Amino acid sequence: MNPWRRLAQKAAPGFGRVELLLSRLGHPEEGLPVIQVAGTHGKSSVVGFLEAVFCAAGVRVGVCLSPDFPDPAEAVRLEGKPVPAIVLSSLLSAALEPFEEFVFGPGKPTMQEALLAVALAHFARSGVEVVVLEASAGNRWDPTNFLRPCLSLLTRVEGGENTRALAWETAQLARPGIPLLTTAMEDAALESLARRSRAAGAALVLVDPEDVELLELRWEKAVWRSRSDPFQLGPFETPFMAAYQAPNLSLALSCLAELFGGFPLSREAVRQGLSQVELPGRFELLFEEPWVVVDAAQDLPSAQAVLRSLERLPLGVGQRFLLLAHPEERLAWDMASLLRPAFSGVEVLAPWELPLHVPRALRRLSSGDFLLILGPHAALREVKGVVRGAS
């Protein structure tokens, strides 16, 4: 029986389930240096920056992302490479037996709880030197909060009308003796973080989200500069990516500076890692002349960030087209209204329609045109296959 099918879709708040899973696996979390990354925008990008630098430095790094993949094993990587699904399934099967202890105890584990536990078990057995974990958007009962990381990182916190409540939940990351680095400068987030950090005796470190600035954006690369420049990089390069990555780069560099001395993080390793980072679905360039870019923006703040990035693009005289897919029709049209002035043509679709419309959109492009495709990660994975097939 597939062990992943035995998991619960939802569960009551608590750490009992993940604690039982970890105990069944021999408490692999003990002794593992963990970096926790939370927030509502930019988590996966920060994880990607850190992973790339650790790999370039020769540090054996394990990564566990939120399980937003068709195959949960895609969310777990060791030294930049996906962990085989059979490895994680075998570990989960061992952790779930006897299953009745969960059913009549803390309850069935969720996908995120199970993935975290088996990922840590595999990392411990593989001798990793550091683990980078992506937490949920802002839930104090997120299973990563059961652990005691060496560092917690918090990206931007934005939830519209729910921002204040979300900020309060996210502030529970502050724990005694653990530095909490954040670029979250929203008033509600800062107030909650400061209050919780004082109460918990945590070290709150405010990172300037504008510390890193974009100097130049070309189709083949982006050039950045850090004002504080902890590694004395001077101007440094990344692959082509959006201007909205500046705060995420600021947080990643601050995190690496905190870890300097404990890991072999040389200037050359930081520069090399950032120049080779891959961020699937984050303003990802799929094709050149005409240019096709995909992005997973799914709310108004993300759409505004995309709009700012468009202003920096080295576009020619061709036309701009937008395909926008979102499961919520009203929010899709709000995003389209915001972005419409920057495009010659805009189409709003349901996520399942997106891969079907891409071939027609590609056929109408001329060599100097630009097509931006916005949609959920699952839809973008199909879109990337369609674009590669058409090319």
Side-chain angles (χ1 to χ4, degrees):
M1 179 179 181
N2 184 345
W4 301 101
R5 294 181 179 174
R6 308 180 77 176
L7 303 176
Q9 294 294 322
K10 295 182 180 180
F15 294 126
R17 296 175 298 275
V18 71
E19 185 175 13
L20 182 53
L21 282 168
L22 289 170
S23 68
R24 293 273 186 87
L25 293 166
H27 284 292
E29 78 280 8
E30 295 178 355
L32 280 179
V34 170
I35 300 170
Q36 179 190 32
V37 185
T40 59
H41 296 78
K43 299 186 301 297
S44 296
S45 295
V46 172
V47 171
F49 291 134
L50 296 177
E51 179 185 31
V53 171
F54 283 128
C55 286
V59 175
R60 198 164 172 80
V61 57
V63 162
C64 184
L65 303 171
S66 295
D68 182 25
F69 297 88
D71 181 351
E74 293 181 51
V76 183
R77 297 193 295 263
L78 177 61
E79 294 187 295
K81 298 177 181 178
V83 173
I86 191 171
V87 173
L88 300 180
S89 295
S90 297
L91 286 168
L92 181 58
S93 294
L96 291 178
E97 298 302 336
F99 194 59
E100 294 77 12
E101 196 172 334
F102 287 99
V103 176
F104 298 106
K108 294 182 181 180
T110 64
M111 174 71 74
Q112 192 174 13
E113 292 166 340
L115 197 63
L116 173 66
V118 297
L120 291 173
H122 181 64
F123 294 156
R125 296 179 184 189
S126 303
V128 302
E129 298 170 82
V130 64
V131 176
V132 186
L133 301 177
E134 180 186 6
S136 66
N139 183 346
R140 58 178 160 160
W141 296 111
D142 184 276
T144 62
N145 287 343
F146 174 73
L147 308 175
R148 183 173 175 81
C150 58
L151 282 178
S152 290
L153 310 182
L154 180 61
T155 63
R156 195 171 92 231
V157 178
E158 176 63 56
E161 296 177 356
N162 297 320
T163 295
R164 186 167 295 277
L166 187 60
W168 186 87
E169 286 280 341
T170 306
Q172 308 310 304
L173 269 66
R175 279 160 285 180
I178 300 175
L180 173 57
L181 282 63
T182 183
T183 49
M185 296 299 165
E186 302 81 3
D187 289 344
L190 279 179
E191 180 183 350
S192 295
L193 284 169
R195 186 176 302 171
R196 169 62 183 171
S197 296
R198 285 195 299 270
L204 179 62
V205 181
L206 302 182
V207 177
D208 183 0
E210 298 180 358
D211 177 67
V212 172
E213 59 178 333
L214 178 63
L215 299 180
E216 184 181 2
L217 182 60
R218 288 187 262 162
W219 292 113
E220 64 273 15
K221 66 180 180 181
V223 183
W224 311 80
R225 178 176 60 199
S226 166
R227 293 186 176 92
S228 63
D229 204 4
F231 291 94
Q232 298 182 347
L233 298 174
F236 63 91
E237 297 179 359
T238 67
F240 172 83
M241 62 179 60
Y244 63 66
Q245 293 291 359
N248 300 324
L249 277 166
S250 299
L251 187 57
L253 284 175
S254 294
C255 171
L256 293 169
E258 287 280 335
L259 297 171
F260 185 74
F263 296 94
L265 300 174
S266 66
R267 179 190 311 160
E268 292 71 23
V270 175
R271 183 181 293 278
Q272 180 185 346
L274 294 179
S275 71
Q276 297 174 345
V277 67
E278 296 181 7
L279 303 176
R282 269 77 180 181
F283 221 68
E284 183 180 2
L285 180 62
L286 301 185
F287 197 79
E288 295 184 49
E289 294 188 82
W291 292 277
V292 180
V293 172
V294 295
D295 193 275
Q298 289 288 275
D299 56 28
L300 288 175
S302 297
Q304 290 170 338
V306 166
L307 193 59
R308 290 193 296 272
S309 294
L310 291 173
E311 297 170 355
R312 301 295 297 270
L313 281 181
L315 294 175
V317 295
Q319 298 187 84
R320 299 184 184 188
F321 299 99
L322 172 65
L323 291 183
L324 194 161
H326 199 288
E328 299 178 27
E329 186 176 2
R330 180 176 178 180
L331 184 51
W333 284 107
D334 288 342
M335 292 173 62
S337 298
L338 176 66
L339 294 166
R340 191 178 303 277
F343 292 90
S344 309
V346 175
E347 287 187 70
V348 177
L349 309 164
W352 66 268
E353 296 177 297
L354 189 57
L356 303 177
H357 281 68
V358 168
R360 178 173 57 83
L362 294 175
R363 286 194 296 269
R364 72 182 180 189
L365 295 177
S366 300
S367 61
D369 290 345
F370 170 73
L371 172 63
L372 176 63
I373 304 173
L374 301 183
H377 281 290
L380 293 185
R381 280 191 284 271
E382 293 188 56
V383 165
K384 289 162 70 171
V386 172
V387 173
R388 292 189 180 110
S391 63

